[in-house]
Every structure is written in structure tokens, then in C-alpha cells.
Amino acid sequence: MKKYTFTEKFDTRSGFGAGLLELGRTNPNVVGLCADLIGSLKMGDFQKEFPERFFQMGISEANMMGVAAGLTIGGKIPFTGTFANFSTGRVYDQIRQSIAYSGKNVKICASHAGLTLGEDGATHQILEDLGLMKMLPGMAVINTCDFNQTKAATIAIAKYEGPVYLRFGRPVVPNWTPKDQVFEVGKAVLLNEGKDVTIVATGHLVWEAIKAGEILEQKGIDAEIINIHSIKPFDEKAVLASVNKTRCVVSAEEHQMNGGLGDSVAQLLARTNPAPLEMVAVNDSFGESGTPEQLMIKYGLSAQNIVDAALKAIARKSK
Amino acid sequence: MVLVETQNFASLQEKNKKNKNNMEVENAVKTGEVAEMEKMASQVRRDILRMVHACSSGHPGASLGCTEFFVALYSKILKHNTKFTMEGKNEDLFFLSNGHISPVWYSVLARSGYFPVSELKTFRKLDSRLQGHPATAEHLEGIRIASGSLGQGLSVALGAAQAKKLNKEDNLVYVLMGDGEQQEGQVWEAAMYAAHNKLDNVIATIDYNGQQIDGPIAKVLDLMDLAAKYRSFGWVVIEEPKGNDMQSVLNVMKKAKSLTGKKQPVMILLKTDMGYGVDFMVGTHKWHGQAPNDEQLANALSQLEQTLGDY
Ligand SMILES: Cc1ncc(C[n+]2csc(CCOP(=O)(O)OP(=O)(O)O)c2C)c(N)n1
């Protein structure tokens, strides 16, 4: 098992803030919009340095999506910022009509996604956003795993023509991906080569997948681990190549089983090359208040859950 | 002294005469101009009726009611280029928020030279660029955003207006909304945002016909004092009671233009009659989204002169 280490922990949302600031300095067309959550979204540095390119929207997410769509008509590249719930479910029809169907170059940037938002509870913990967004024709959907990757993704999507949903989170997590990584929309990242089981993970679950790989190694199991930062476009080729070798898969994500990464993997396998699939995801339930760590354990999204799922998938394969 | 005074008087008289002549000439030009526009309006109304009849669907009611607005906008008000670009640099932009009245927009766009008039016959049919509600996916010239789901157009217009300001363009952004549409919350988010940000390069118009699908607005969900609402939100509001009188529409739009650039967004409340121009369609919500049958079409067309040739 390839070794992955980290020296610092950061929140992914700070990666977004850092990426946006850098974009501000390098791309004069980039503008920022935020619905009364500048601190939470880490957009303060951009606002300070580029006040004329920053728009405080107030608590008006629907208007924010429309204004962003309008700004693209004048050649701007708007980055909207609010919590994941208010970036998607709250404004689904606005995104659908004014951004996706109209083919507008808006970057919808969403923090505090999933259970790891923690104590605020289920009203804020959206676990349906990846599904909502990936169903929209033409919408790219990205879910990053750490600070460095979120920063790289933020910078990369400014160059990607078309609407993008970029999802990140609130808690501090290990910062372990390379600082100088090249982020390619739609390209899976192979983290470890293995032959017994394929683990595809996204977002905060990627680090859990690495920990799971280490536990599995001690049991003599050789796991192939893939970081799927792009839910859509989905790197089918990379996943299929791996499954052809391992013949079973585990998907892992901080999202509902319905509509998420596992759902995309299941579709792919059913269409092309059926193989046992175990999904580590939230199973048709809302979240609740608690610390991020407690919630990830209670809802079955830990490294141990991935290990258990891998053993199950391997057992199904031998039958 | 006297001589000077006389001279002054004479020159004043001369000046007055010149002014009077000028005014008369101007009025004559205006009358000619308005007559031309009224001719176009008659043809546009024929287009609307024939389009919705041909596909047995669509929204003639408010399309007919907004005909003067569209004709005036595209022929005299908007600084626009019929060689369409999405960005519309150094042009005025127009957005239709109440997208269901697409027939009037398509007709006026075609008759202004954006795309061939013959394309109107494809309205709402398979593989057409003239979708039931305006869309950008088929690249129809003149359309910059999809609309149809109500309540979104004002926000889009504000974004486009902010981009104009960032780009240091002094052009204006126009948007039309329905009055029933004012029941959508997003409209008021946008209204608040426009005034707070002093978006004085925006002219919004509300098609104030008092009707929506389920009946008169006063019965469905009353807007109460709409002008006062917008004023309290920080807008300059002008009310035009004669929204189907070409000269009045032209005048109010010119007035709205003169009120831009003064740190406030501008709103025109344009009283129109739904179904205007066809006696059995006027003033009721019945024809909001109902196409005429063959007989009704013939009756309606007999009331509208064919001025520019049917498509
Ligand atoms: C968000 C949304 N809800 C409902 C509809 C269905 N609908 C289409 S037109 C209309 C009435 C609109 O009233 P108004 O804005 O006054 O337009 P008019 O009836 O004058 O054409 C409704 C409810 C819609 N298009 N969008």
C-alpha cells in the first residue's frame, strides 16, 4: 500500500477561498457572489482585494443564481457561494432554467455539504446535492477531498467552459494531496494499485478509503483505491479498467445512496460489466446534530465501514 | 430703444414661428412614425394568432396585450444590433421574464430582422428554434436566457446590468415581467437588490393587465398598491394607463430612458388589455393560454389588417 501522510489539517472550504483569491489575481473576469456567508465560505480575502468584483447578495439565493447567469452574458465568470443545501435544493429551478438549460458559465460553489457540517443538524446537512446536480444536463459536478485539491479544482473550473457544481465542506481534515497537482475535470486519480477490490471514493471519504486500504493490507487484501473528484463527467474508463482487474467494487461518499457516486458506478457496471458493488453511503435517511466524527460513525461512513464493505464485496465475487 | 425692442420682437416672432414649424414637422414625423409602428403591430398580432393556431397551443392573451410594447421597444427604443451576439457588447439588452408570451417576441424579432419571418411557422413544432418558451439551446438570435418558469428574469437582467457597469458600457438593460408573476418571491429579492446596488441602467416593465391563469389578480392574490410597493423598495415608478396606445407607450418608454443614470432602477407599470386587438379576446384571462380554432382565427384575422405580409 502506497503511503500517504500529512503534516497539517485544513478545511476544504479554505482551499476554495485560497483558489478564488488566486483566480482574482490572475483572471479579471472572475467575480464572486455570496449570500450572507462570506466568512463561512472563506470569500473574505477575495472581497477585500477585489471589492468591485464582489457582490454581497444578502439572503437571496434565488436572485443570486439569476444574477450570476446574467453576469455571464457580459463575459464574467461568476463564482457563487453559500451552503450546499442553499446552493442546490433551495434554488433548483433557478439553476435548471437560468444556468443549466441556458448553458451559462456559472460556478456554483457549495460549502458545508453532508453530515460533517455537524451540530447544525439535518436542516443544513444536504445529502442529495450530488444527485440533484448530476441529473442536470451539461452540469459538471465536482466533490473534492482536501484543501489542496479544492484549491486546484477552484482554479481549474474557471477555465472549464460551462456550468459547474463544486462541493466542499466545513471540518478540518488531513491535507495530503500534492500542492502542485494538476486538476483535470472528469479525470479520476489512481491512489493505489491493487488486485483484490476497487475502492472508489469521493470527498471526505477519500481519506477514509486510504485508511481502509491500510487496514485491508494487514488482512492480506490488496485494494485498488481511486479518488473520484469528478462525479460528472465521470471517468468511466478508469473505473472499468480497475474493475476488469479486481472484479468487485466499493463506493464511498458522504451522500445518499440514491443519486450519488455509488449510483453512477452501479449504472456503469450494469451497462457494461456487472460485478459485485457495495455502497458506503447514507441509506435513505436525514442526518442529525452531533460532531462530524460521531455522525460519520453513526451513519456508517468510516474507514471501518469501507473495510467491511470490501470484505463483503470480495466474498460475493468468489461465489 | 424702441427700435431695438421692435427688432427683438420681430426676431422673437420669427423664432416662435420657426419653433412652431419645427413642432408641426416633428408632430407630423411622429404621426408618421407611430402610424408605421401601428401597421407593424397589426401584422405582429396576425403573426401571434396564426402561430398559436398552427400548433393549437401557446399564449395569445398577453402576447396581444404587449404588442405595442414590443413594437415600440424594438423599433424605437432599444439600441440593438440584429447581427446577434450573446454578449451584446455596446448594445442595449432585453430580457423576457414572462416567457409564455414568446409569440409576440418571436414575431417582433423576426420582423425586426433577427431571423427569417418564415421561421415563425415552426413555432412549438418538433426541431424548431422557436420553442414554446424562449430558450438559448437552439441558438435563436435575440434570446439570451431561457424563461418560462416565472420569477427569474429580473435577476438575470440585473446580472447583465452589473456586467455592463463592470465593462464600463453605458447601455441599458430592459426586462418585461407579468403582473401575476409579481407573486413570486424571487422578484422581490431582485427588486431589493437592484435598488440597494443603485442599478440605474435597468428599465423594468410590468405588463399590468390584471389577469392571471385562474382569473383576475385581485381575486387570486391581490398585488394591492404595486406602485407603492416598488417605490418603497427604492425604485422610480412611472405608471402608464394606456399601454395599448402606441404614442403613449413610446412616450413612457422615452420618459423611462430619461430617468436612467440617476442611482435608481426604473419601473414602468404598463396597463394593458389582455387580448387587445381582437374583440372576443379582449379583457379576459380566458385567452391566456388558449389557441383559437379555425373559425375563431378567421374572425380574429378579419379584425387585423395584413400590413407587411403574412409569413
Ligand atoms: C414558476 C411558475 N409557476 C407557474 C407557472 C404557470 N403559469 C404560466 S403563465 C402563469 C400566469 C402568469 O400570470 P401573469 O404574469 O399575469 O401573465 P399573464 O397571465 O398576464 O400572461 C402561470 C401561473 C409558471 N410558468 N412558472
Side-chain angles (χ1 to χ4, degrees):
Chain A
M1 172 82 193
K2 202 170 159 191
K3 272 270 155 285
Y4 287 94
T5 54
F6 64 94
T7 50
E8 318 160 294
K9 284 185 162 190
F10 279 127
D11 44 3
T12 49
R13 56 186 166 142
S14 287
F16 166 66
L20 189 63
L21 181 65
E22 193 168 313
L23 276 178
R25 290 171 181 165
T26 52
N27 190 335
N29 284 326
V30 167
V31 297
L33 295 78
C34 187
D36 198 26
L37 286 168
I38 295 171
S40 297
L41 266 289
K42 305 291 176 189
M43 296 174 93
D45 290 340
F46 181 92
Q47 179 198 26
K48 239 176 257 137
E49 204 164 313
F50 308 103
E52 75 291 349
R53 281 196 268 149
F54 181 81
F55 304 108
Q56 169 60 273
M57 304 304 300
I59 316 160
S60 309
E61 296 80 11
N63 185 49
M64 175 161 75
M65 294 305 162
V67 169
L71 281 160
T72 66
I73 293 168
K76 306 299 162 200
I77 309 172
F79 282 65
T80 68
T82 181
F83 292 160
N85 188 17
F86 315 138
S87 293
T88 57
R90 176 85 188 188
V91 289
Y92 198 62
D93 187 44
Q94 283 78 12
I95 295 175
R96 182 176 179 276
Q97 173 171 282
S98 293
I99 297 175
Y101 183 40
S102 294
K104 297 301 181 216
N105 194 23
V106 176
K107 314 303 170 188
I108 302 163
C109 303
S111 183
H112 293 54
L115 292 172
T116 52
L117 165 123
E119 293 79 355
D120 276 343
T123 53
H124 287 52
Q125 290 159 343
I126 194 161
L127 293 163
E128 304 84 36
D129 55 328
L130 296 178
L132 285 171
M133 290 297 115
K134 87 175 183 188
M135 274 199 293
L136 289 171
M139 178 70 69
V141 180
I142 292 166
N143 183 28
T144 50
C145 68
D146 72 354
F147 176 99
N148 285 342
Q149 194 177 66
T150 311
K151 182 176 175 189
T154 304
I155 293 165
I157 60 175
K159 285 216 181 90
Y160 179 92
E161 185 64 34
V164 176
Y165 177 62
L166 175 62
R167 179 208 219 214
F168 42 91
R170 173 173 181 253
V172 290
V173 293
N175 187 27
W176 57 274
T177 66
K179 207 172 173 166
D180 57 354
Q181 67 193 280
V182 178
F183 188 96
E184 254 185 274
V185 175
K187 198 112 183 88
V189 183
L190 181 62
L191 296 176
N192 191 58
E193 283 191 55
K195 60 179 187 339
D196 299 326
V197 59
T198 298
I199 302 175
V200 291
T202 188
H204 292 141
L205 268 289
V206 179
W207 184 249
E208 296 301 313
I210 290 170
K211 288 200 289 186
E214 286 164 359
I215 299 169
L216 286 166
E217 188 178 36
Q218 285 162 18
K219 296 182 192 289
I221 293 166
D222 192 5
E224 178 139 310
I225 305 174
I226 301 175
N227 177 358
I228 303 282
H229 53 58
S230 295
I231 305 293
K232 189 182 162 190
F234 184 47
D235 195 343
E236 298 194 345
K237 245 169 91 183
V239 175
L240 270 183
S242 180
V243 177
N244 281 338
K245 191 166 59 171
T246 63
R247 298 303 311 147
C248 71
V249 196
V250 172
S251 63
E253 63 197 305
E254 190 182 348
H255 190 272
Q256 298 288 354
M257 218 174 257
N258 278 329
L261 169 63
D263 164 305
S264 292
V265 175
Q267 277 190 42
L268 172 66
L269 296 178
R271 271 191 283 116
T272 57
N273 194 354
L277 166 67
E278 292 293 326
M279 299 188 197
V280 174
V282 176
N283 190 4
D284 204 27
S285 125
F286 288 104
E288 64 182 283
S289 291
T291 67
E293 299 75 24
Q294 288 169 337
L295 291 165
M296 294 299 264
I297 288 168
K298 176 162 178 179
Y299 287 82
L301 305 183
S302 68
Q304 189 56 51
N305 296 108
I306 298 174
V307 169
D308 295 347
L311 296 175
K312 237 167 125 181
I314 292 167
R316 283 173 61 199
K317 149 168 90 159
S318 56
K319 270 188 205 142
Chain B
M1 272 295 269
V2 172
L3 191 70
V4 175
E5 257 180 31
T6 311
Q7 271 182 340
N8 268 356
F9 183 66
S11 71
L12 206 69
Q13 252 188 338
E14 189 56 38
K15 223 170 146 189
N16 275 345
K17 210 167 126 195
K18 258 194 197 154
N19 275 349
K20 198 160 165 245
N21 283 346
N22 279 347
M23 266 167 68
E24 266 163 17
V25 170
E26 220 174 80
N27 273 342
V29 169
K30 262 190 193 154
T31 321
E33 190 180 86
V34 166
E36 277 304 301
M37 287 157 72
E38 279 167 354
K39 261 192 196 167
M40 180 164 169
S42 181
Q43 189 64 51
V44 167
R45 287 196 161 94
R46 288 181 69 92
D47 289 349
I48 293 167
L49 292 161
R50 295 179 68 241
M51 284 162 77
V52 298
H53 170 263
C55 61
S56 305
S57 69
H59 299 77
S63 292
L64 294 169
C66 289
T67 299
E68 279 76 17
F69 171 83
F70 275 88
V71 170
L73 180 72
Y74 274 88
S75 50
K76 295 288 172 231
I77 300 294
L78 212 57
K79 285 187 198 153
H80 63 124
N81 188 347
T82 55
K83 265 186 91 185
F84 179 74
T85 61
M86 178 54 76
E87 199 165 337
K89 220 174 169 53
N90 301 316
E91 287 181 57
D92 293 345
L93 306 181
F94 169 72
F95 294 96
L96 179 66
S97 189
N98 44 336
H100 60 278
I101 69 167
S102 56
V104 62
W105 195 16
Y106 293 153
S107 165
V108 171
L109 283 174
R111 301 235 171 237
S112 306
Y114 276 83
F115 54 85
V117 171
S118 60
E119 209 171 333
L120 294 176
K121 68 173 178 283
T122 68
F123 175 59
R124 280 184 173 243
K125 299 203 167 146
L126 196 63
D127 297 327
S128 174
R129 301 198 299 163
L130 280 62
Q131 291 291 298
H133 293 81
T136 57
E138 292 78 15
H139 307 288
L140 185 66
E141 295 83 1
I143 315 286
R144 293 192 166 86
I145 197 87
S147 60
S149 173
L150 294 165
Q152 302 185 28
L154 182 57
S155 302
V156 174
L158 300 183
Q162 285 194 299
K164 291 263 180 226
K165 283 189 182 267
L166 283 174
N167 293 339
K168 309 255 179 295
E169 292 171 54
D170 58 6
N171 295 88
L172 299 175
V173 177
Y174 294 81
V175 56
L176 179 67
M177 295 181 277
D179 49 1
E181 186 178 13
Q182 302 305 303
Q183 293 157 356
E184 284 288 354
Q186 185 182 346
V187 170
W188 299 97
E189 293 183 6
M192 207 182 298
Y193 183 79
H196 177 84
N197 289 287
K198 303 186 169 57
L199 295 181
D200 55 8
N201 55 345
V202 173
I203 298 177
T205 300
I206 291 173
D207 173 26
Y208 208 1
N209 60 21
Q211 306 286 344
Q212 59 187 109
I213 291 187
D214 284 345
I217 288 177
K219 278 205 177 153
V220 176
L221 182 60
D222 201 343
L223 299 172
M224 308 270 172
D225 191 342
L226 189 57
K229 282 191 167 109
Y230 270 98
R231 285 197 183 105
S232 74
F233 270 68
W235 288 61
V236 177
V237 179
I238 357 178
E239 297 173 80
E240 175 47 64
K242 294 203 282 187
N244 293 114
D245 175 65
M246 193 64 86
Q247 184 71 64
S248 304
V249 174
L250 197 56
N251 290 348
V252 76
M253 294 177 84
K254 283 182 179 166
K255 183 168 175 203
K257 244 176 150 164
S258 75
L259 293 170
T260 57
K262 300 190 197 308
K263 308 257 182 269
Q264 274 183 294
V266 178
M267 169 66 71
I268 305 172
L269 297 185
L270 192 69
K271 278 250 190 255
T272 66
D273 273 324
M274 213 175 204
Y276 189 87
V278 178
D279 58 7
F280 63 91
M281 289 185 168
V282 77
T284 162
H285 58 266
K286 189 182 155 212
W287 295 94
H288 163 94
Q290 171 81 34
N293 61 26
D294 294 351
E295 202 181 312
Q296 289 162 332
L297 177 71
N299 181 357
L301 292 182
S302 74
Q303 303 173 34
L304 296 160
E305 195 190 340
Q306 192 184 149
T307 50
L308 305 173
D310 286 340
Y311 63 80

